[in-house]
Amino acid sequence: MDKIFNNTQIAFSLKSDTELDRAYFLFKLIANQPLVRIGTAVTNFAIKAHLPVEGLIRATVFDHFCGGVNEKDCLSVVDKMSSKGVSSVLDYSVEGKEEEEQFDAALKMTLKTIDFAAEKQAIPFAVFKPTGFGRFELYEKLGEGKKLSETEQKEWNRVVERFDEVCSEAHKKNVALLIDGEESWMQDTADNLVTEMMKRYNKEKAIVFNTLQMYRHDRLDYLKKIHDLGQAEGFYIGMKVVRGAYMEKENKRAEEKGYPSPICASKEATDENYDAAVDYMLNHLDQMSLFVGTHNENSSYKVMNKIGQLNLNRDDNRLWFGQLFGMSDNISYNLAAYNYNVAKYLPFGPVRDVMPYLIRRAEENTSVAGQTNRELELIKAERERRKKEDK
Ligand SMILES: Cc1cc2nc3c(=O)[nH]c(=O)nc-3n(C[C@H](O)[C@H](O)[C@H](O)COP(=O)(O)OP(=O)(O)OC[C@H]3O[C@@H](n4cnc5c(N)ncnc54)[C@H](O)[C@@H]3O)c2cc1C
């Protein structure tokens, strides 16, 4: 496959000159590591101190990486992207909440996005985060094999009920449901719960999708184990495959607590592990559905080649590519132009509540070698192309 991701005309077809300039300015800022560090600290402080910084955040990172403050705001973006064949996953990105009311609010919002997805072809998936439905410590405690107190057990039963409610609704409405992956020390409990949901709701096809974070060296074995279980017990496997967003946190905790890090020894090892998992799933599509969540061009080309080799249709419904809104439009829009299934996560929520998400994006773009540079190079190339076209 030629290097289709270099086509900047297709990549930025929805961006006006002004929007392109704004994106360039933003990535220039994000590329500056000290600035991101200071900016993050100042913003966190300002938000805690209730200083009026929301306007500034909105005009910069928020509008670039988010669809709006509520689900309705997102619909115009959904329609715009859909006009170019790119679908959306509405992602209620409020994080780090610990109260029952907030878990119930996340449940309600997820149910609402399932409704949206059922009604709109341009929204093929709904999504939620395990810790959006229950306290992190509960997942952690269960993962360590500790016994819950009576109150905690009741609290946990409510988490299970929330999972069951959204999965059963997704099944009823025939909407695929992605469940995000988080820190490894809570993930075992989430994995067990998601597997239980797959057993219940993936009998006819993959409705419930778990997430495999391939920066973890144990995940390929885990995938094979789940595959065996699916075959033995008669359910389909849905998996979003990503590299993983919490690497620094994982390594730091492992070092502090003195256990071997769950993360692959190098970037190359993660890349190999990622491609191996995706390859394994593509070889078993009769029992699996795959959501390839990546901004990595090589991994994406490999999947495209394999789709060709296996003679699969590019728009086979068991096979989706996904990127995050505000990043790697060159991959998303060019994939769509070649008729592959592609969806962008479109985060939304009140400005101050989506800050942890935004900070992860800023840090990721600062730390992932080459990624921000690539965005800048592509924008530069498109500006040049437009200038020439004007002449
Ligand atoms: C649609 C979508 C959904 C996502 N959902 C989730 C989710 O549910 N949970 C989650 O954790 N993340 C999620 N992510 C984020 C994802 O995990 C990555 O952080 C991000 O996509 C960058 O990785 P990449 O595959 O795009 O490629 P690249 O930019 O090629 O890879 C960067 C990644 O490689 C790994 N890496 C970097 N350096 C090293 C090293 N020295 N040793 C070992 N590994 C290294 C890290 O995982 C790093 O993030 C999602 C991403 C997308 C696009």
Side-chain angles (χ1 to χ4, degrees):
M1 175 72 62
D2 287 341
K3 299 280 176 195
I4 65 163
F5 299 146
N6 293 339
N7 186 325
T8 60
Q9 183 174 10
I10 290 178
F12 299 114
S13 51
L14 285 179
K15 284 222 185 316
S16 66
D17 291 351
T18 322
E19 285 168 330
L20 212 54
D21 288 345
R22 199 187 66 181
Y24 189 79
F25 172 71
L26 185 69
F27 279 111
K28 267 277 186 212
L29 285 182
I30 288 178
N32 186 326
Q33 211 157 6
L35 195 71
V36 168
R37 213 170 296 137
I38 297 164
T40 303
V42 171
T43 312
N44 276 337
F45 169 79
I47 287 213
K48 280 197 190 109
H50 294 279
L51 296 176
V53 285
E54 294 193 3
L56 182 67
I57 298 169
R58 268 216 86 150
T60 52
V61 274
F62 185 90
D63 282 353
H64 183 84
F65 290 111
C66 298
V69 295
N70 60 48
E71 69 288 1
K72 292 200 186 83
D73 286 350
C74 296
L75 291 180
S76 61
V77 185
V78 171
D79 288 340
K80 245 173 103 177
M81 293 205 290
S82 162
S83 72
K84 301 288 174 192
V86 175
S87 299
S88 300
V89 184
L90 294 188
D91 179 19
Y92 181 58
S93 298
V94 172
E95 294 182 20
K97 300 290 180 190
E98 298 278 277
E99 307 290 330
E100 288 294 296
E101 282 162 32
Q102 291 154 340
F103 299 141
D104 286 333
L107 167 72
K108 241 169 114 181
M109 192 52 89
T110 311
L111 290 169
K112 213 184 229 180
T113 55
I114 292 173
D115 277 346
F116 272 54
E119 282 161 22
K120 251 182 146 26
Q121 214 195 343
I123 310 179
F125 294 88
V127 65
F128 74 95
K129 267 196 161 33
T131 56
F133 283 3
R135 270 195 308 128
F136 190 100
E137 279 70 26
L138 285 183
Y139 289 95
E140 189 177 6
K141 206 165 169 185
L142 282 165
E144 288 167 348
K146 290 188 183 147
K147 204 172 151 35
L148 299 182
S149 70
E150 208 176 306
T151 352
E152 284 174 335
Q153 186 58 50
K154 281 193 186 139
E155 199 185 331
W156 178 250
N157 293 345
R158 286 195 294 276
V159 181
V160 177
E161 278 165 24
R162 289 185 190 106
F163 267 73
D164 192 60
E165 195 173 338
V166 286
C167 293
S168 122
E169 190 66 10
H171 178 254
K172 203 165 82 193
K173 300 228 158 107
N174 196 21
V175 169
L177 179 60
L178 303 169
I179 304 177
D180 283 346
E182 301 181 75
E183 290 86 343
S184 61
W185 57 102
M186 57 66 68
Q187 191 61 43
D188 285 350
T189 311
D191 286 341
N192 292 341
L193 190 47
V194 178
T195 305
E196 190 50 43
M197 296 298 131
M198 283 198 209
K199 281 184 200 170
R200 276 183 215 169
Y201 299 111
N202 286 7
K203 289 208 172 81
E204 304 95 18
K205 64 175 194 177
I207 287 284
V208 177
F209 283 60
N210 203 356
T211 297
L212 287 175
Q213 296 158 306
M214 297 313 297
Y215 62 8
R216 287 182 56 175
H217 47 67
D218 63 352
R219 291 295 88 176
L220 191 54
D221 286 343
Y222 176 76
L223 171 63
K224 291 176 182 167
K225 215 177 75 192
I226 285 288
H227 183 203
D228 288 345
L229 191 71
Q231 279 179 306
E233 302 201 13
F235 64 92
Y236 288 85
I237 310 291
M239 285 289 177
K240 168 174 58 141
V241 185
V242 300
R243 280 182 171 73
Y246 306 91
M247 183 175 74
E248 273 129 45
K249 221 170 165 185
E250 291 281 354
N251 284 333
K252 192 159 165 251
R253 184 176 191 267
E255 202 181 309
E256 277 168 11
K257 297 206 175 248
Y259 61 85
S261 169
I263 305 297
C264 292
S266 64
K267 171 72 163 75
E268 292 68 38
T270 296
D271 290 347
E272 263 173 43
N273 206 30
Y274 186 92
D275 295 337
V278 165
D279 213 54
Y280 184 89
M281 291 193 66
L282 286 167
N283 286 334
H284 296 97
L285 269 194
D286 49 337
Q287 293 128 22
M288 297 184 170
S289 290
L290 166 63
F291 188 100
V292 186
T294 188
H295 301 141
N296 184 297
E297 293 185 3
N298 277 339
S299 291
S300 307
Y301 282 128
K302 279 184 187 163
V303 176
M304 289 152 70
N305 284 336
K306 182 98 181 182
I307 291 173
Q309 281 163 21
L310 293 173
N311 248 334
L312 295 164
N313 287 331
R314 289 178 179 177
D315 61 350
D316 187 311
N317 203 36
R318 297 165 299 181
L319 196 52
W320 282 79
F321 290 87
Q323 289 78 42
L324 306 177
F325 184 69
M327 289 169 75
S328 297
D329 282 348
N330 67 314
I331 298 183
S332 315
Y333 287 86
N334 282 303
L335 280 172
Y338 280 80
N339 212 28
Y340 291 96
N341 291 323
V342 57
K344 286 185 96 89
Y345 262 40
L346 188 56
F348 68 93
V351 176
R352 59 183 56 239
D353 295 334
V354 300
M355 276 319 289
Y357 175 86
L358 290 175
I359 288 170
R360 258 207 319 284
R361 294 293 78 81
E363 286 176 349
E364 177 178 85
N365 280 287
T366 294
S367 66
V368 176
Q371 181 140 319
T372 304
N373 273 346
R374 190 183 70 194
E375 297 281 1
L376 285 168
E377 288 305 316
L378 289 162
I379 298 172
K380 250 200 289 193
E382 176 59 7
R383 280 161 138 191
E384 289 300 314
R385 195 198 63 78
R386 287 186 191 183
K387 251 191 238 157
K388 273 194 206 134
E389 204 181 51
D390 284 346
K391 276 184 189 154

PDB file of all heavy atoms in Angstrom, residues 242-266:
ATOM      1  N   VAL A 242      -4.837  -1.205  22.046  1.00  0.00           N
ATOM      2  CA  VAL A 242      -4.079   0.061  22.119  1.00  0.00           C
ATOM      3  C   VAL A 242      -2.680  -0.260  22.661  1.00  0.00           C
ATOM      4  O   VAL A 242      -2.419  -1.377  23.096  1.00  0.00           O
ATOM      5  CB  VAL A 242      -4.766   1.102  23.043  1.00  0.00           C
ATOM      6  CG1 VAL A 242      -6.166   1.431  22.550  1.00  0.00           C
ATOM      7  CG2 VAL A 242      -4.803   0.639  24.496  1.00  0.00           C
ATOM      8  N   ARG A 243      -1.791   0.731  22.652  1.00  0.00           N
ATOM      9  CA  ARG A 243      -0.477   0.498  23.270  1.00  0.00           C
ATOM     10  C   ARG A 243      -0.562   0.752  24.770  1.00  0.00           C
ATOM     11  O   ARG A 243      -0.026  -0.002  25.560  1.00  0.00           O
ATOM     12  CB  ARG A 243       0.590   1.368  22.596  1.00  0.00           C
ATOM     13  CG  ARG A 243       1.073   0.777  21.284  1.00  0.00           C
ATOM     14  CD  ARG A 243       2.162   1.611  20.643  1.00  0.00           C
ATOM     15  NE  ARG A 243       2.776   0.935  19.487  1.00  0.00           N
ATOM     16  CZ  ARG A 243       2.208   0.766  18.306  1.00  0.00           C
ATOM     17  NH1 ARG A 243       0.987   1.205  18.081  1.00  0.00           N
ATOM     18  NH2 ARG A 243       2.838   0.148  17.323  1.00  0.00           N
ATOM     19  N   GLY A 244      -1.264   1.801  25.184  1.00  0.00           N
ATOM     20  CA  GLY A 244      -1.412   2.057  26.626  1.00  0.00           C
ATOM     21  C   GLY A 244      -0.955   3.457  26.991  1.00  0.00           C
ATOM     22  O   GLY A 244       0.073   3.927  26.492  1.00  0.00           O
ATOM     23  N   ALA A 245      -1.715   4.111  27.853  1.00  0.00           N
ATOM     24  CA  ALA A 245      -1.499   5.535  28.120  1.00  0.00           C
ATOM     25  C   ALA A 245      -0.882   5.835  29.489  1.00  0.00           C
ATOM     26  O   ALA A 245      -0.697   6.983  29.827  1.00  0.00           O
ATOM     27  CB  ALA A 245      -2.830   6.276  27.984  1.00  0.00           C
ATOM     28  N   TYR A 246      -0.577   4.816  30.281  1.00  0.00           N
ATOM     29  CA  TYR A 246      -0.157   5.104  31.665  1.00  0.00           C
ATOM     30  C   TYR A 246       1.255   4.609  31.945  1.00  0.00           C
ATOM     31  O   TYR A 246       1.571   4.206  33.076  1.00  0.00           O
ATOM     32  CB  TYR A 246      -1.152   4.453  32.646  1.00  0.00           C
ATOM     33  CG  TYR A 246      -2.595   4.840  32.403  1.00  0.00           C
ATOM     34  CD1 TYR A 246      -3.406   4.074  31.565  1.00  0.00           C
ATOM     35  CD2 TYR A 246      -3.146   5.973  32.994  1.00  0.00           C
ATOM     36  CE1 TYR A 246      -4.733   4.429  31.325  1.00  0.00           C
ATOM     37  CE2 TYR A 246      -4.467   6.336  32.762  1.00  0.00           C
ATOM     38  CZ  TYR A 246      -5.245   5.552  31.927  1.00  0.00           C
ATOM     39  OH  TYR A 246      -6.555   5.903  31.693  1.00  0.00           O
ATOM     40  N   MET A 247       2.102   4.614  30.929  1.00  0.00           N
ATOM     41  CA  MET A 247       3.411   3.970  31.062  1.00  0.00           C
ATOM     42  C   MET A 247       4.251   4.539  32.211  1.00  0.00           C
ATOM     43  O   MET A 247       4.800   3.779  33.017  1.00  0.00           O
ATOM     44  CB  MET A 247       4.186   4.113  29.752  1.00  0.00           C
ATOM     45  CG  MET A 247       5.517   3.413  29.778  1.00  0.00           C
ATOM     46  SD  MET A 247       6.319   3.477  28.183  1.00  0.00           S
ATOM     47  CE  MET A 247       6.844   5.172  28.147  1.00  0.00           C
ATOM     48  N   GLU A 248       4.327   5.864  32.267  1.00  0.00           N
ATOM     49  CA  GLU A 248       5.185   6.455  33.306  1.00  0.00           C
ATOM     50  C   GLU A 248       4.692   6.111  34.703  1.00  0.00           C
ATOM     51  O   GLU A 248       5.464   5.745  35.588  1.00  0.00           O
ATOM     52  CB  GLU A 248       5.297   7.967  33.107  1.00  0.00           C
ATOM     53  CG  GLU A 248       6.428   8.317  32.146  1.00  0.00           C
ATOM     54  CD  GLU A 248       6.015   9.250  31.022  1.00  0.00           C
ATOM     55  OE1 GLU A 248       5.307  10.240  31.302  1.00  0.00           O
ATOM     56  OE2 GLU A 248       6.371   8.975  29.856  1.00  0.00           O
ATOM     57  N   LYS A 249       3.391   6.208  34.882  1.00  0.00           N
ATOM     58  CA  LYS A 249       2.770   5.867  36.166  1.00  0.00           C
ATOM     59  C   LYS A 249       3.043   4.400  36.540  1.00  0.00           C
ATOM     60  O   LYS A 249       3.356   4.075  37.675  1.00  0.00           O
ATOM     61  CB  LYS A 249       1.261   6.047  35.990  1.00  0.00           C
ATOM     62  CG  LYS A 249       0.551   6.692  37.132  1.00  0.00           C
ATOM     63  CD  LYS A 249      -0.862   6.999  36.650  1.00  0.00           C
ATOM     64  CE  LYS A 249      -1.803   7.307  37.765  1.00  0.00           C
ATOM     65  NZ  LYS A 249      -3.169   7.489  37.267  1.00  0.00           N
ATOM     66  N   GLU A 250       2.932   3.519  35.538  1.00  0.00           N
ATOM     67  CA  GLU A 250       3.144   2.078  35.771  1.00  0.00           C
ATOM     68  C   GLU A 250       4.582   1.814  36.219  1.00  0.00           C
ATOM     69  O   GLU A 250       4.816   1.116  37.203  1.00  0.00           O
ATOM     70  CB  GLU A 250       2.883   1.270  34.482  1.00  0.00           C
ATOM     71  CG  GLU A 250       1.436   1.224  34.024  1.00  0.00           C
ATOM     72  CD  GLU A 250       0.580   0.226  34.810  1.00  0.00           C
ATOM     73  OE1 GLU A 250       1.121  -0.518  35.635  1.00  0.00           O
ATOM     74  OE2 GLU A 250      -0.649   0.218  34.599  1.00  0.00           O
ATOM     75  N   ASN A 251       5.530   2.388  35.465  1.00  0.00           N
ATOM     76  CA  ASN A 251       6.944   2.145  35.794  1.00  0.00           C
ATOM     77  C   ASN A 251       7.300   2.710  37.169  1.00  0.00           C
ATOM     78  O   ASN A 251       8.017   2.084  37.943  1.00  0.00           O
ATOM     79  CB  ASN A 251       7.850   2.767  34.730  1.00  0.00           C
ATOM     80  CG  ASN A 251       7.863   1.930  33.456  1.00  0.00           C
ATOM     81  OD1 ASN A 251       7.652   0.706  33.501  1.00  0.00           O
ATOM     82  ND2 ASN A 251       8.087   2.561  32.325  1.00  0.00           N
ATOM     83  N   LYS A 252       6.751   3.885  37.449  1.00  0.00           N
ATOM     84  CA  LYS A 252       7.061   4.542  38.728  1.00  0.00           C
ATOM     85  C   LYS A 252       6.547   3.705  39.899  1.00  0.00           C
ATOM     86  O   LYS A 252       7.245   3.453  40.864  1.00  0.00           O
ATOM     87  CB  LYS A 252       6.388   5.929  38.725  1.00  0.00           C
ATOM     88  CG  LYS A 252       6.837   6.824  39.838  1.00  0.00           C
ATOM     89  CD  LYS A 252       6.550   8.295  39.499  1.00  0.00           C
ATOM     90  CE  LYS A 252       6.654   9.116  40.765  1.00  0.00           C
ATOM     91  NZ  LYS A 252       5.372   9.604  41.251  1.00  0.00           N
ATOM     92  N   ARG A 253       5.317   3.228  39.787  1.00  0.00           N
ATOM     93  CA  ARG A 253       4.731   2.451  40.894  1.00  0.00           C
ATOM     94  C   ARG A 253       5.502   1.144  41.101  1.00  0.00           C
ATOM     95  O   ARG A 253       5.795   0.753  42.230  1.00  0.00           O
ATOM     96  CB  ARG A 253       3.264   2.149  40.599  1.00  0.00           C
ATOM     97  CG  ARG A 253       2.556   1.429  41.749  1.00  0.00           C
ATOM     98  CD  ARG A 253       1.090   1.247  41.412  1.00  0.00           C
ATOM     99  NE  ARG A 253       0.305   0.800  42.547  1.00  0.00           N
ATOM    100  CZ  ARG A 253       0.035  -0.466  42.833  1.00  0.00           C
ATOM    101  NH1 ARG A 253       0.531  -1.420  42.066  1.00  0.00           N
ATOM    102  NH2 ARG A 253      -0.711  -0.776  43.879  1.00  0.00           N
ATOM    103  N   ALA A 254       5.839   0.493  39.976  1.00  0.00           N
ATOM    104  CA  ALA A 254       6.569  -0.778  40.080  1.00  0.00           C
ATOM    105  C   ALA A 254       7.902  -0.556  40.798  1.00  0.00           C
ATOM    106  O   ALA A 254       8.295  -1.344  41.661  1.00  0.00           O
ATOM    107  CB  ALA A 254       6.793  -1.356  38.686  1.00  0.00           C
ATOM    108  N   GLU A 255       8.544   0.545  40.452  1.00  0.00           N
ATOM    109  CA  GLU A 255       9.835   0.825  41.073  1.00  0.00           C
ATOM    110  C   GLU A 255       9.659   1.128  42.569  1.00  0.00           C
ATOM    111  O   GLU A 255      10.367   0.578  43.412  1.00  0.00           O
ATOM    112  CB  GLU A 255      10.487   2.011  40.365  1.00  0.00           C
ATOM    113  CG  GLU A 255      11.991   2.037  40.562  1.00  0.00           C
ATOM    114  CD  GLU A 255      12.604   3.248  39.874  1.00  0.00           C
ATOM    115  OE1 GLU A 255      12.307   3.449  38.681  1.00  0.00           O
ATOM    116  OE2 GLU A 255      13.357   3.975  40.558  1.00  0.00           O
ATOM    117  N   GLU A 256       8.687   1.962  42.863  1.00  0.00           N
ATOM    118  CA  GLU A 256       8.463   2.338  44.270  1.00  0.00           C
ATOM    119  C   GLU A 256       8.101   1.133  45.137  1.00  0.00           C
ATOM    120  O   GLU A 256       8.536   1.011  46.260  1.00  0.00           O
ATOM    121  CB  GLU A 256       7.332   3.372  44.352  1.00  0.00           C
ATOM    122  CG  GLU A 256       7.816   4.786  44.099  1.00  0.00           C
ATOM    123  CD  GLU A 256       6.664   5.765  43.901  1.00  0.00           C
ATOM    124  OE1 GLU A 256       5.480   5.409  44.158  1.00  0.00           O
ATOM    125  OE2 GLU A 256       6.937   6.882  43.445  1.00  0.00           O
ATOM    126  N   LYS A 257       7.280   0.246  44.572  1.00  0.00           N
ATOM    127  CA  LYS A 257       6.811  -0.893  45.376  1.00  0.00           C
ATOM    128  C   LYS A 257       7.703  -2.121  45.226  1.00  0.00           C
ATOM    129  O   LYS A 257       7.459  -3.152  45.848  1.00  0.00           O
ATOM    130  CB  LYS A 257       5.369  -1.250  45.004  1.00  0.00           C
ATOM    131  CG  LYS A 257       4.396  -0.106  45.307  1.00  0.00           C
ATOM    132  CD  LYS A 257       3.001  -0.621  45.543  1.00  0.00           C
ATOM    133  CE  LYS A 257       2.081   0.491  45.963  1.00  0.00           C
ATOM    134  NZ  LYS A 257       1.601   0.437  47.310  1.00  0.00           N
ATOM    135  N   GLY A 258       8.685  -2.026  44.312  1.00  0.00           N
ATOM    136  CA  GLY A 258       9.662  -3.097  44.178  1.00  0.00           C
ATOM    137  C   GLY A 258       9.146  -4.364  43.518  1.00  0.00           C
ATOM    138  O   GLY A 258       9.484  -5.461  43.912  1.00  0.00           O
ATOM    139  N   TYR A 259       8.295  -4.221  42.512  1.00  0.00           N
ATOM    140  CA  TYR A 259       7.908  -5.405  41.716  1.00  0.00           C
ATOM    141  C   TYR A 259       8.315  -5.171  40.257  1.00  0.00           C
ATOM    142  O   TYR A 259       8.508  -4.023  39.854  1.00  0.00           O
ATOM    143  CB  TYR A 259       6.413  -5.724  41.867  1.00  0.00           C
ATOM    144  CG  TYR A 259       5.456  -4.635  41.401  1.00  0.00           C
ATOM    145  CD1 TYR A 259       5.071  -4.514  40.072  1.00  0.00           C
ATOM    146  CD2 TYR A 259       4.914  -3.722  42.314  1.00  0.00           C
ATOM    147  CE1 TYR A 259       4.187  -3.522  39.658  1.00  0.00           C
ATOM    148  CE2 TYR A 259       4.029  -2.719  41.906  1.00  0.00           C
ATOM    149  CZ  TYR A 259       3.678  -2.629  40.582  1.00  0.00           C
ATOM    150  OH  TYR A 259       2.809  -1.643  40.164  1.00  0.00           O
ATOM    151  N   PRO A 260       8.460  -6.260  39.457  1.00  0.00           N
ATOM    152  CA  PRO A 260       8.886  -6.059  38.061  1.00  0.00           C
ATOM    153  C   PRO A 260       7.831  -5.267  37.291  1.00  0.00           C
ATOM    154  O   PRO A 260       6.633  -5.531  37.450  1.00  0.00           O
ATOM    155  CB  PRO A 260       8.999  -7.483  37.498  1.00  0.00           C
ATOM    156  CG  PRO A 260       8.787  -8.412  38.631  1.00  0.00           C
ATOM    157  CD  PRO A 260       8.201  -7.669  39.777  1.00  0.00           C
ATOM    158  N   SER A 261       8.273  -4.319  36.486  1.00  0.00           N
ATOM    159  CA  SER A 261       7.314  -3.493  35.741  1.00  0.00           C
ATOM    160  C   SER A 261       6.525  -4.358  34.753  1.00  0.00           C
ATOM    161  O   SER A 261       7.100  -5.232  34.087  1.00  0.00           O
ATOM    162  CB  SER A 261       8.053  -2.397  34.974  1.00  0.00           C
ATOM    163  OG  SER A 261       7.151  -1.785  34.090  1.00  0.00           O
ATOM    164  N   PRO A 262       5.209  -4.121  34.663  1.00  0.00           N
ATOM    165  CA  PRO A 262       4.407  -4.890  33.689  1.00  0.00           C
ATOM    166  C   PRO A 262       4.622  -4.418  32.242  1.00  0.00           C
ATOM    167  O   PRO A 262       4.074  -5.004  31.312  1.00  0.00           O
ATOM    168  CB  PRO A 262       2.968  -4.598  34.134  1.00  0.00           C
ATOM    169  CG  PRO A 262       3.017  -3.297  34.854  1.00  0.00           C
ATOM    170  CD  PRO A 262       4.388  -3.198  35.463  1.00  0.00           C
ATOM    171  N   ILE A 263       5.425  -3.348  32.083  1.00  0.00           N
ATOM    172  CA  ILE A 263       5.582  -2.733  30.753  1.00  0.00           C
ATOM    173  C   ILE A 263       6.718  -3.398  29.977  1.00  0.00           C
ATOM    174  O   ILE A 263       7.744  -3.778  30.552  1.00  0.00           O
ATOM    175  CB  ILE A 263       5.882  -1.208  30.914  1.00  0.00           C
ATOM    176  CG1 ILE A 263       4.796  -0.523  31.753  1.00  0.00           C
ATOM    177  CG2 ILE A 263       6.054  -0.518  29.571  1.00  0.00           C
ATOM    178  CD1 ILE A 263       3.411  -0.528  31.187  1.00  0.00           C
ATOM    179  N   CYS A 264       6.543  -3.529  28.658  1.00  0.00           N
ATOM    180  CA  CYS A 264       7.575  -4.105  27.788  1.00  0.00           C
ATOM    181  C   CYS A 264       8.894  -3.354  27.968  1.00  0.00           C
ATOM    182  O   CYS A 264       8.900  -2.160  28.285  1.00  0.00           O
ATOM    183  CB  CYS A 264       7.156  -3.973  26.326  1.00  0.00           C
ATOM    184  SG  CYS A 264       5.750  -4.971  25.870  1.00  0.00           S
ATOM    185  N   ALA A 265       9.989  -4.054  27.684  1.00  0.00           N
ATOM    186  CA  ALA A 265      11.317  -3.498  27.974  1.00  0.00           C
ATOM    187  C   ALA A 265      11.680  -2.303  27.100  1.00  0.00           C
ATOM    188  O   ALA A 265      12.530  -1.496  27.466  1.00  0.00           O
ATOM    189  CB  ALA A 265      12.358  -4.592  27.819  1.00  0.00           C
ATOM    190  N   SER A 266      11.075  -2.182  25.922  1.00  0.00           N
ATOM    191  CA  SER A 266      11.426  -1.063  25.035  1.00  0.00           C
ATOM    192  C   SER A 266      10.217  -0.714  24.165  1.00  0.00           C
ATOM    193  O   SER A 266       9.250  -1.477  24.094  1.00  0.00           O
ATOM    194  CB  SER A 266      12.589  -1.472  24.119  1.00  0.00           C
ATOM    195  OG  SER A 266      12.155  -2.537  23.286  1.00  0.00           O
TER     196      SER A 266
END
